[in-house]
Amino acid sequence: MSSLRLKAFWISYFVASTAFGIYMVAFNWITVKTYGAFGISMITIGFAIPQTLLVLIGGIASDTINKQTVYRICQILYIACCLPLLIVCANGVPSLWFLTLMSLLAGAIAAFSGPNKTALISDLVDEAEVTPTQQIFNFATGLGMVAGSALASHLLSVEDVFINNSHGALPFLAYVIGMIPLLFCIPNPVSTPTKTVKSNDSSALLKIDSTILNIKQALTYILSHGNIRVLMRILFLVLVLGTPFSYLLSIFAHDHPSMGHSSKFFSHLFAALGAGNVIGSLLGIYIAKTNNKNASLFVYLTCGLCASAFAAMLDNVAWEIIVFIAFAGIFGTLCTNLLKDLIQSISESDMRGRIAACTQLLTGFSSISAGLAGFLIHHLSNNPQDSYFAYQSVQMTMLGVLAIVIVLALPRILRAQIR
Protein backbone atom coordinates (compact mmCIF):
# COMPACT_ATOMS: atom_id res chain seq x y z
CA MET A 1 0.00 0.00 0.00
CA SER A 2 1.54 3.31 -1.14
CA SER A 3 1.87 5.99 1.53
CA LEU A 4 0.13 8.51 -0.78
CA ARG A 5 -3.06 6.43 -0.99
CA LEU A 6 -2.98 5.78 2.74
CA LYS A 7 -2.64 9.52 3.42
CA ALA A 8 -5.54 10.30 1.05
CA PHE A 9 -7.65 7.72 2.87
CA TRP A 10 -6.73 9.24 6.25
CA ILE A 11 -7.58 12.79 5.13
CA SER A 12 -10.93 11.78 3.66
CA TYR A 13 -11.64 9.71 6.77
CA PHE A 14 -10.90 12.78 8.91
CA VAL A 15 -13.33 14.85 6.83
CA ALA A 16 -15.98 12.14 7.23
CA SER A 17 -15.31 12.02 10.99
CA THR A 18 -15.81 15.79 11.16
CA ALA A 19 -19.09 15.39 9.30
CA PHE A 20 -20.11 12.65 11.72
CA GLY A 21 -19.26 14.93 14.67
CA ILE A 22 -21.60 17.56 13.24
CA TYR A 23 -24.31 14.94 12.71
CA MET A 24 -24.02 13.44 16.19
CA VAL A 25 -24.21 16.78 18.05
CA ALA A 26 -27.15 17.99 15.95
CA PHE A 27 -29.02 14.68 16.13
CA ASN A 28 -28.62 14.37 19.90
CA TRP A 29 -29.43 18.04 20.53
CA ILE A 30 -32.67 17.88 18.55
CA THR A 31 -33.66 14.64 20.30
CA VAL A 32 -32.90 15.65 23.89
CA LYS A 33 -34.36 19.15 23.69
CA THR A 34 -37.61 17.82 22.18
CA TYR A 35 -38.06 14.43 23.85
CA GLY A 36 -35.69 14.46 26.85
CA ALA A 37 -34.08 11.38 28.40
CA PHE A 38 -36.76 9.10 26.95
CA GLY A 39 -35.90 10.26 23.43
CA ILE A 40 -32.18 9.67 23.96
CA SER A 41 -32.97 6.18 25.27
CA MET A 42 -35.12 5.39 22.25
CA ILE A 43 -32.51 6.40 19.68
CA THR A 44 -29.79 4.58 21.63
CA ILE A 45 -31.77 1.35 21.78
CA GLY A 46 -32.79 1.85 18.15
CA PHE A 47 -29.12 1.95 17.18
CA ALA A 48 -28.10 -0.90 19.46
CA ILE A 49 -30.59 -3.57 18.38
CA PRO A 50 -29.58 -3.99 14.72
CA GLN A 51 -25.94 -3.35 15.54
CA THR A 52 -25.93 -6.18 18.05
CA LEU A 53 -27.97 -8.63 15.97
CA LEU A 54 -26.12 -8.10 12.68
CA VAL A 55 -22.54 -7.34 13.69
CA LEU A 56 -21.29 -10.95 13.55
CA ILE A 57 -22.72 -11.27 10.04
CA GLY A 58 -20.95 -8.00 9.24
CA GLY A 59 -17.67 -9.51 10.42
CA ILE A 60 -18.18 -12.57 8.25
CA ALA A 61 -18.94 -10.31 5.27
CA SER A 62 -15.68 -8.47 5.93
CA ASP A 63 -13.72 -11.73 5.82
CA THR A 64 -15.46 -13.10 2.71
CA ILE A 65 -16.26 -10.05 0.52
CA ASN A 66 -13.92 -7.39 -0.81
CA LYS A 67 -13.44 -4.93 2.08
CA GLN A 68 -13.22 -1.89 -0.18
CA THR A 69 -16.61 -2.70 -1.74
CA VAL A 70 -18.33 -3.32 1.59
CA TYR A 71 -16.97 -0.12 3.15
CA ARG A 72 -17.97 2.01 0.13
CA ILE A 73 -21.50 0.59 0.13
CA CYS A 74 -21.81 1.40 3.84
CA GLN A 75 -20.77 5.02 3.28
CA ILE A 76 -23.30 5.39 0.45
CA LEU A 77 -26.02 4.00 2.72
CA TYR A 78 -25.08 6.47 5.49
CA ILE A 79 -25.58 9.34 3.04
CA ALA A 80 -28.83 7.87 1.69
CA CYS A 81 -30.26 7.52 5.21
CA CYS A 82 -29.43 11.11 6.11
CA LEU A 83 -31.25 12.60 3.12
CA PRO A 84 -34.78 11.88 4.49
CA LEU A 85 -33.69 13.31 7.85
CA LEU A 86 -32.48 16.44 6.10
CA ILE A 87 -35.80 16.84 4.27
CA VAL A 88 -37.92 16.25 7.39
CA CYS A 89 -35.91 18.69 9.53
CA ALA A 90 -36.15 21.34 6.81
CA ASN A 91 -39.94 21.09 6.99
CA GLY A 92 -40.66 20.76 10.73
CA VAL A 93 -39.96 18.91 13.98
CA PRO A 94 -39.05 15.25 13.36
CA SER A 95 -41.16 12.80 15.35
CA LEU A 96 -39.55 10.46 17.86
CA TRP A 97 -40.49 7.36 15.86
CA PHE A 98 -38.75 8.84 12.81
CA LEU A 99 -35.59 9.66 14.78
CA THR A 100 -35.63 6.13 16.21
CA LEU A 101 -36.01 4.70 12.71
CA MET A 102 -33.00 6.72 11.56
CA SER A 103 -30.98 5.34 14.48
CA LEU A 104 -32.12 1.81 13.67
CA LEU A 105 -30.95 2.15 10.06
CA ALA A 106 -27.65 3.68 11.20
CA GLY A 107 -27.13 0.76 13.60
CA ALA A 108 -27.73 -1.76 10.82
CA ILE A 109 -25.16 -0.03 8.60
CA ALA A 110 -22.67 0.27 11.48
CA ALA A 111 -22.91 -3.49 12.03
CA PHE A 112 -21.20 -3.96 8.66
CA SER A 113 -19.17 -0.74 8.51
CA GLY A 114 -17.48 -1.01 11.93
CA PRO A 115 -15.86 -4.47 11.64
CA ASN A 116 -15.10 -3.86 7.97
CA LYS A 117 -13.27 -0.58 8.66
CA THR A 118 -11.18 -2.15 11.43
CA ALA A 119 -10.24 -5.16 9.29
CA LEU A 120 -9.64 -2.96 6.23
CA ILE A 121 -7.16 -0.73 8.06
CA SER A 122 -5.40 -3.78 9.52
CA ASP A 123 -4.93 -5.22 6.01
CA LEU A 124 -3.39 -2.03 4.63
CA VAL A 125 -0.13 -2.33 6.61
CA ASP A 126 2.35 -4.92 7.83
CA GLU A 127 1.62 -6.96 10.95
CA ALA A 128 3.95 -4.88 13.14
CA GLU A 129 2.17 -1.65 12.14
CA VAL A 130 -1.42 -2.75 12.79
CA THR A 131 -1.84 -1.27 16.29
CA PRO A 132 -0.07 2.09 15.54
CA THR A 133 -2.05 2.50 12.29
CA GLN A 134 -5.33 1.80 14.05
CA GLN A 135 -4.40 4.44 16.63
CA ILE A 136 -3.61 6.96 13.88
CA PHE A 137 -7.09 6.48 12.44
CA ASN A 138 -8.56 6.70 15.94
CA PHE A 139 -6.75 10.03 16.18
CA ALA A 140 -8.55 11.14 13.00
CA THR A 141 -11.85 10.12 14.59
CA GLY A 142 -11.18 12.18 17.72
CA LEU A 143 -9.90 15.17 15.79
CA GLY A 144 -12.96 15.03 13.58
CA MET A 145 -15.22 14.94 16.63
CA VAL A 146 -13.61 18.12 17.99
CA ALA A 147 -13.90 19.94 14.67
CA GLY A 148 -17.41 18.60 14.07
CA SER A 149 -18.66 19.59 17.52
CA ALA A 150 -17.25 23.09 17.15
CA LEU A 151 -18.83 23.49 13.71
CA ALA A 152 -22.14 22.07 14.90
CA SER A 153 -22.54 24.77 17.56
CA HIS A 154 -22.28 27.41 14.82
CA LEU A 155 -24.40 25.57 12.26
CA LEU A 156 -27.21 25.03 14.77
CA SER A 157 -27.32 28.76 15.57
CA VAL A 158 -27.36 29.94 11.94
CA GLU A 159 -30.59 31.65 10.92
CA ASP A 160 -32.56 30.31 7.96
CA VAL A 161 -30.54 30.66 4.77
CA PHE A 162 -31.57 28.73 1.67
CA ILE A 163 -33.25 26.11 3.88
CA ASN A 164 -35.18 26.18 7.15
CA ASN A 165 -32.55 25.63 9.85
CA SER A 166 -34.75 25.88 12.94
CA HIS A 167 -34.58 22.09 13.43
CA GLY A 168 -31.00 21.41 12.36
CA ALA A 169 -31.31 20.88 8.61
CA LEU A 170 -28.05 22.72 7.87
CA PRO A 171 -25.84 20.41 10.00
CA PHE A 172 -27.34 17.37 8.27
CA LEU A 173 -26.62 18.94 4.88
CA ALA A 174 -23.01 19.48 6.00
CA TYR A 175 -22.87 15.80 7.00
CA VAL A 176 -23.98 14.62 3.55
CA ILE A 177 -21.41 16.82 1.80
CA GLY A 178 -18.61 15.82 4.18
CA MET A 179 -19.16 12.10 3.63
CA ILE A 180 -18.74 12.26 -0.16
CA PRO A 181 -14.88 12.53 -0.46
CA LEU A 182 -14.37 9.26 1.43
CA LEU A 183 -16.23 7.35 -1.29
CA PHE A 184 -13.38 8.02 -3.75
CA CYS A 185 -10.43 7.44 -1.40
CA ILE A 186 -11.07 3.97 0.04
CA PRO A 187 -8.06 1.79 -0.86
CA ASN A 188 -8.25 -1.84 -1.85
CA PRO A 189 -6.27 -4.01 0.60
CA VAL A 190 -4.17 -6.97 -0.41
CA SER A 191 -6.47 -9.97 -0.30
CA THR A 192 -5.68 -12.72 2.18
CA PRO A 193 -6.82 -16.35 2.13
CA THR A 194 -9.68 -17.11 4.44
CA LYS A 195 -10.66 -20.14 6.43
CA THR A 196 -14.33 -19.59 5.92
CA VAL A 197 -16.51 -22.54 5.01
CA LYS A 198 -17.13 -22.71 1.26
CA SER A 199 -19.69 -24.72 -0.60
CA ASN A 200 -20.72 -25.08 -4.23
CA ASP A 201 -24.30 -25.62 -3.09
CA SER A 202 -26.05 -22.24 -3.03
CA SER A 203 -29.06 -23.38 -1.03
CA ALA A 204 -30.21 -21.03 1.71
CA LEU A 205 -29.91 -23.75 4.35
CA LEU A 206 -26.25 -24.41 3.64
CA LYS A 207 -25.52 -20.68 3.62
CA ILE A 208 -27.11 -20.36 7.05
CA ASP A 209 -25.08 -23.36 8.27
CA SER A 210 -21.92 -21.77 6.89
CA THR A 211 -22.69 -18.48 8.65
CA ILE A 212 -23.34 -20.22 11.96
CA LEU A 213 -20.11 -22.20 11.59
CA ASN A 214 -18.13 -19.02 10.89
CA ILE A 215 -19.57 -17.40 14.03
CA LYS A 216 -18.74 -20.54 16.00
CA GLN A 217 -15.19 -20.46 14.66
CA ALA A 218 -14.76 -16.88 15.87
CA LEU A 219 -16.06 -17.66 19.36
CA THR A 220 -13.92 -20.82 19.57
CA TYR A 221 -10.88 -18.84 18.47
CA ILE A 222 -11.44 -16.27 21.25
CA LEU A 223 -11.98 -18.93 23.93
CA SER A 224 -8.89 -20.88 22.87
CA HIS A 225 -6.54 -17.87 23.07
CA GLY A 226 -6.04 -16.87 26.70
CA ASN A 227 -4.75 -13.33 26.08
CA ILE A 228 -7.57 -12.48 23.69
CA ARG A 229 -10.09 -13.90 26.16
CA VAL A 230 -8.76 -11.72 29.02
CA LEU A 231 -8.72 -8.59 26.85
CA MET A 232 -12.27 -9.29 25.70
CA ARG A 233 -13.46 -9.54 29.31
CA ILE A 234 -11.88 -6.22 30.23
CA LEU A 235 -13.36 -4.63 27.10
CA PHE A 236 -16.80 -6.00 27.97
CA LEU A 237 -16.71 -4.47 31.46
CA VAL A 238 -15.54 -1.08 30.23
CA LEU A 239 -18.04 -0.91 27.37
CA VAL A 240 -21.10 -2.07 29.31
CA LEU A 241 -20.48 -0.15 32.54
CA GLY A 242 -18.18 2.73 31.55
CA THR A 243 -18.93 4.03 28.07
CA PRO A 244 -22.68 4.61 28.67
CA PHE A 245 -21.45 7.80 30.35
CA SER A 246 -20.42 9.06 26.90
CA TYR A 247 -23.56 7.72 25.20
CA LEU A 248 -25.76 9.63 27.64
CA LEU A 249 -23.64 12.78 27.68
CA SER A 250 -26.54 14.52 25.92
CA ILE A 251 -28.66 14.18 29.07
CA PHE A 252 -25.80 15.47 31.21
CA ALA A 253 -25.19 18.45 28.93
CA HIS A 254 -28.85 19.39 28.49
CA ASP A 255 -30.14 18.84 32.03
CA HIS A 256 -27.23 20.14 34.12
CA PRO A 257 -28.91 22.51 36.62
CA SER A 258 -26.22 25.20 36.35
CA MET A 259 -26.12 25.50 32.55
CA GLY A 260 -29.70 26.35 31.61
CA HIS A 261 -30.18 24.06 28.57
CA SER A 262 -27.46 25.91 26.64
CA SER A 263 -26.76 24.59 23.15
CA LYS A 264 -23.28 26.16 23.36
CA PHE A 265 -22.45 24.23 26.56
CA PHE A 266 -23.90 21.13 24.88
CA SER A 267 -21.54 21.50 21.91
CA HIS A 268 -18.58 22.39 24.14
CA LEU A 269 -18.97 19.17 26.12
CA PHE A 270 -18.95 17.08 22.96
CA ALA A 271 -15.94 19.04 21.72
CA ALA A 272 -14.20 18.35 25.05
CA LEU A 273 -14.98 14.66 24.72
CA GLY A 274 -13.59 14.74 21.19
CA ALA A 275 -10.47 16.58 22.39
CA GLY A 276 -10.00 13.86 24.98
CA ASN A 277 -10.33 11.28 22.21
CA VAL A 278 -7.63 13.08 20.23
CA ILE A 279 -5.20 13.20 23.14
CA GLY A 280 -6.04 9.61 24.03
CA SER A 281 -5.35 8.53 20.45
CA LEU A 282 -1.97 10.35 20.43
CA LEU A 283 -1.02 8.67 23.70
CA GLY A 284 -2.25 5.39 22.25
CA ILE A 285 0.08 5.81 19.25
CA TYR A 286 3.00 6.39 21.64
CA ILE A 287 2.12 3.38 23.79
CA ALA A 288 1.67 1.19 20.72
CA LYS A 289 5.02 2.32 19.26
CA THR A 290 6.91 1.73 22.51
CA ASN A 291 5.24 -1.62 23.21
CA ASN A 292 4.62 -0.32 26.72
CA LYS A 293 1.29 -2.05 27.17
CA ASN A 294 0.18 -4.69 29.64
CA ALA A 295 -3.01 -5.87 31.27
CA SER A 296 -2.56 -3.78 34.43
CA LEU A 297 -2.43 -0.60 32.32
CA PHE A 298 -6.08 -1.10 31.38
CA VAL A 299 -7.06 -1.30 35.05
CA TYR A 300 -5.44 2.08 35.75
CA LEU A 301 -7.07 3.61 32.66
CA THR A 302 -10.48 2.29 33.70
CA CYS A 303 -10.12 3.76 37.19
CA GLY A 304 -9.08 7.07 35.60
CA LEU A 305 -12.23 7.04 33.47
CA CYS A 306 -14.42 6.44 36.55
CA ALA A 307 -12.69 9.17 38.60
CA SER A 308 -12.97 11.75 35.80
CA ALA A 309 -16.65 11.02 35.21
CA PHE A 310 -17.39 11.24 38.94
CA ALA A 311 -15.62 14.61 39.16
CA ALA A 312 -17.53 15.99 36.16
CA MET A 313 -20.91 14.98 37.58
CA LEU A 314 -20.18 16.51 40.99
CA ASP A 315 -18.86 19.83 39.65
CA ASN A 316 -20.85 23.00 38.90
CA VAL A 317 -18.21 25.16 37.18
CA ALA A 318 -18.45 25.00 33.39
CA TRP A 319 -14.74 25.08 32.51
CA GLU A 320 -13.90 22.50 35.18
CA ILE A 321 -16.64 20.20 33.90
CA ILE A 322 -15.22 20.57 30.38
CA VAL A 323 -11.74 19.62 31.64
CA PHE A 324 -13.03 16.56 33.47
CA ILE A 325 -15.02 15.45 30.42
CA ALA A 326 -11.84 15.77 28.36
CA PHE A 327 -10.02 13.54 30.86
CA ALA A 328 -12.87 11.03 30.68
CA GLY A 329 -12.42 11.05 26.91
CA ILE A 330 -8.67 10.47 27.26
CA PHE A 331 -8.99 7.51 29.60
CA GLY A 332 -11.97 6.01 27.80
CA THR A 333 -10.35 6.28 24.37
CA LEU A 334 -7.02 4.90 25.55
CA CYS A 335 -8.67 1.96 27.24
CA THR A 336 -11.17 0.91 24.58
CA ASN A 337 -9.07 1.66 21.50
CA LEU A 338 -5.91 0.04 22.85
CA LEU A 339 -7.91 -3.01 23.86
CA LYS A 340 -9.55 -3.33 20.43
CA ASP A 341 -6.31 -2.69 18.55
CA LEU A 342 -4.27 -5.04 20.72
CA ILE A 343 -6.87 -7.74 20.12
CA GLN A 344 -6.56 -7.07 16.38
CA SER A 345 -2.76 -7.20 16.43
CA ILE A 346 -2.61 -10.62 18.12
CA SER A 347 -5.34 -12.12 15.91
CA GLU A 348 -4.62 -14.07 12.73
CA SER A 349 -5.13 -12.03 9.55
CA ASP A 350 -7.94 -14.24 8.22
CA MET A 351 -9.87 -13.89 11.49
CA ARG A 352 -9.66 -10.12 11.89
CA GLY A 353 -13.03 -9.31 10.37
CA ARG A 354 -14.79 -11.76 12.66
CA ILE A 355 -12.76 -10.70 15.72
CA ALA A 356 -13.56 -7.05 14.93
CA ALA A 357 -17.21 -8.09 14.71
CA CYS A 358 -17.00 -9.62 18.19
CA THR A 359 -15.56 -6.39 19.63
CA GLN A 360 -18.26 -4.49 17.76
CA LEU A 361 -20.81 -6.85 19.31
CA LEU A 362 -19.60 -5.72 22.71
CA THR A 363 -20.10 -2.13 21.54
CA GLY A 364 -23.68 -3.11 20.76
CA PHE A 365 -24.07 -4.38 24.31
CA SER A 366 -22.70 -1.01 25.44
CA SER A 367 -25.40 0.79 23.46
CA ILE A 368 -28.07 -1.48 24.94
CA SER A 369 -26.70 -0.82 28.43
CA ALA A 370 -26.80 2.94 27.76
CA GLY A 371 -30.36 2.72 26.43
CA LEU A 372 -31.58 0.78 29.45
CA ALA A 373 -29.82 3.26 31.75
CA GLY A 374 -31.56 6.08 29.89
CA PHE A 375 -34.96 4.47 30.41
CA LEU A 376 -34.16 4.09 34.10
CA ILE A 377 -33.20 7.78 34.27
CA HIS A 378 -36.49 8.68 32.58
CA HIS A 379 -38.41 6.48 35.04
CA LEU A 380 -36.67 8.05 38.05
CA SER A 381 -37.28 11.59 36.79
CA ASN A 382 -40.55 12.88 38.22
CA ASN A 383 -40.03 16.28 36.59
CA PRO A 384 -37.33 18.09 34.57
CA GLN A 385 -35.64 19.34 37.74
CA ASP A 386 -35.04 15.77 38.95
CA SER A 387 -33.67 14.44 35.65
CA TYR A 388 -30.07 15.43 36.37
CA PHE A 389 -30.16 13.85 39.85
CA ALA A 390 -31.53 10.66 38.28
CA TYR A 391 -28.77 10.75 35.66
CA GLN A 392 -26.18 11.30 38.38
CA SER A 393 -27.44 8.41 40.51
CA VAL A 394 -27.58 5.88 37.67
CA GLN A 395 -24.20 6.79 36.18
CA MET A 396 -22.39 6.87 39.52
CA THR A 397 -23.74 3.43 40.35
CA MET A 398 -22.56 1.96 37.03
CA LEU A 399 -19.12 3.58 37.23
CA GLY A 400 -18.72 2.58 40.87
CA VAL A 401 -19.50 -1.05 40.07
CA LEU A 402 -17.01 -0.92 37.16
CA ALA A 403 -14.22 0.42 39.37
CA ILE A 404 -14.83 -2.17 42.09
CA VAL A 405 -15.04 -5.13 39.69
CA ILE A 406 -11.94 -4.14 37.71
CA VAL A 407 -9.87 -3.68 40.87
CA LEU A 408 -11.02 -7.03 42.28
CA ALA A 409 -10.09 -8.68 38.98
CA LEU A 410 -6.56 -7.20 38.99
CA PRO A 411 -4.76 -10.35 40.29
CA ARG A 412 -6.29 -12.50 37.54
CA ILE A 413 -5.53 -9.84 34.92
CA LEU A 414 -1.88 -9.62 35.98
CA ARG A 415 -1.49 -13.37 35.44
CA ALA A 416 -2.30 -12.89 31.76
CA GLN A 417 1.20 -11.40 31.14
CA ILE A 418 0.01 -9.38 28.15
CA ARG A 419 2.67 -7.40 26.28
Side-chain angles (χ1 to χ4, degrees):
M1 174 58 58
S2 67
S3 60
L4 185 61
R5 291 201 66 187
L6 192 62
K7 288 177 181 177
F9 181 39
W10 187 92
I11 292 170
S12 62
Y13 179 78
F14 163 68
V15 174
S17 297
T18 302
F20 177 72
I22 295 172
Y23 174 92
M24 190 183 72
V25 171
F27 191 81
N28 282 279
W29 172 247
I30 290 168
T31 303
V32 75
K33 79 169 185 175
T34 309
Y35 302 106
F38 182 77
I40 291 294
S41 302
M42 286 295 295
I43 64 171
T44 304
I45 288 292
F47 183 88
I49 291 173
Q51 181 192 35
T52 305
L53 293 178
L54 299 175
V55 69
L56 291 177
I57 298 175
I60 294 170
S62 178
D63 282 338
T64 55
I65 304 174
N66 182 272
K67 294 179 176 65
Q68 181 192 47
T69 302
V70 174
Y71 195 51
R72 182 172 287 135
I73 291 173
C74 289
Q75 302 314 302
I76 292 172
L77 291 175
Y78 275 130
I79 295 172
C81 286
C82 188
L83 290 175
L85 182 61
L86 169 61
I87 295 170
V88 170
C89 288
N91 290 278
V93 181
S95 63
L96 182 56
W97 73 264
F98 180 76
L99 293 172
T100 304
L101 176 62
M102 291 297 101
S103 285
L104 189 145
L105 293 174
I109 300 169
F112 290 85
S113 176
N116 184 262
K117 183 204 74 175
T118 303
L120 171 67
I121 295 171
S122 296
D123 286 352
L124 295 177
V125 294
D126 296 332
E127 297 284 336
E129 294 297 315
V130 168
T131 302
T133 304
Q134 292 283 357
Q135 289 297 317
I136 290 170
F137 275 85
N138 292 333
F139 168 72
T141 302
L143 195 62
M145 283 300 300
V146 175
S149 299
L151 287 171
S153 65
H154 295 289
L155 292 173
L156 285 170
S157 61
V158 170
E159 299 293 335
D160 296 351
V161 280
F162 49 88
I163 57 174
N164 179 3
N165 193 41
S166 57
H167 305 294
L170 192 57
F172 296 130
L173 177 62
Y175 169 79
V176 170
I177 295 172
M179 292 292 286
I180 293 174
L182 183 59
L183 297 176
F184 303 98
C185 298
I186 303 172
N188 191 22
V190 178
S191 59
T192 56
T194 66
K195 296 180 182 178
T196 55
V197 176
K198 295 182 180 180
S199 174
N200 293 326
D201 195 329
S202 59
S203 68
L205 182 59
L206 284 180
K207 287 183 178 180
I208 292 173
D209 288 342
S210 177
T211 300
I212 293 173
L213 186 54
N214 275 291
I215 294 172
K216 186 177 179 180
Q217 285 178 345
L219 297 177
T220 303
Y221 182 81
I222 292 171
L223 293 174
S224 62
H225 289 71
N227 287 344
I228 294 179
R229 186 171 66 250
V230 170
L231 293 172
M232 282 285 193
R233 287 174 179 172
I234 302 173
L235 183 61
F236 174 80
L237 289 172
V238 174
L239 288 176
V240 172
L241 294 173
T243 55
F245 175 78
S246 300
Y247 279 102
L248 301 179
L249 189 63
S250 302
I251 302 174
F252 175 92
H254 183 262
D255 293 338
H256 196 287
S258 302
M259 304 305 155
H261 305 316
S262 168
S263 61
K264 185 171 290 187
F265 178 70
F266 189 93
S267 299
H268 286 172
L269 279 194
F270 277 95
L273 186 65
N277 293 340
V278 170
I279 298 171
S281 297
L282 289 174
L283 291 173
I285 294 170
Y286 169 76
I287 293 172
K289 288 285 188 180
T290 58
N291 292 318
N292 186 28
K293 49 188 180 291
N294 52 63
S296 60
L297 172 66
F298 301 114
V299 176
Y300 306 139
L301 293 175
T302 302
C303 291
L305 166 63
C306 296
S308 301
F310 264 85
M313 286 186 284
L314 294 173
D315 208 325
N316 289 313
V317 180
W319 72 266
E320 292 178 356
I321 293 173
I322 289 172
V323 170
F324 287 130
I325 292 295
F327 272 109
I330 293 171
F331 289 120
T333 298
L334 266 175
C335 191
T336 56
N337 288 348
L338 274 177
L339 281 168
K340 291 178 181 179
D341 298 342
L342 185 56
I343 290 168
Q344 276 283 303
S345 68
I346 61 179
S347 301
E348 296 177 11
S349 59
D350 62 314
M351 292 294 296
R352 284 176 179 159
R354 280 166 282 182
I355 296 303
C358 290
T359 58
Q360 191 80 4
L361 176 65
L362 298 184
T363 303
F365 290 149
S366 176
S367 300
I368 292 174
S369 175
L372 295 176
F375 284 127
L376 181 58
I377 292 168
H378 172 72
H379 176 72
L380 295 175
S381 303
N382 296 322
N383 55 66
Q385 286 72 34
D386 291 337
S387 59
Y388 182 75
F389 176 76
Y391 170 86
Q392 208 176 38
S393 301
V394 171
Q395 286 297 306
M396 284 186 170
T397 300
M398 295 178 71
L399 292 167
V401 171
L402 172 62
I404 293 170
V405 171
I406 204 74
V407 169
L408 291 177
L410 180 58
R412 179 176 294 180
I413 292 171
L414 289 175
R415 288 199 294 270
Q417 296 296 319
I418 296 169
R419 292 289 185 271

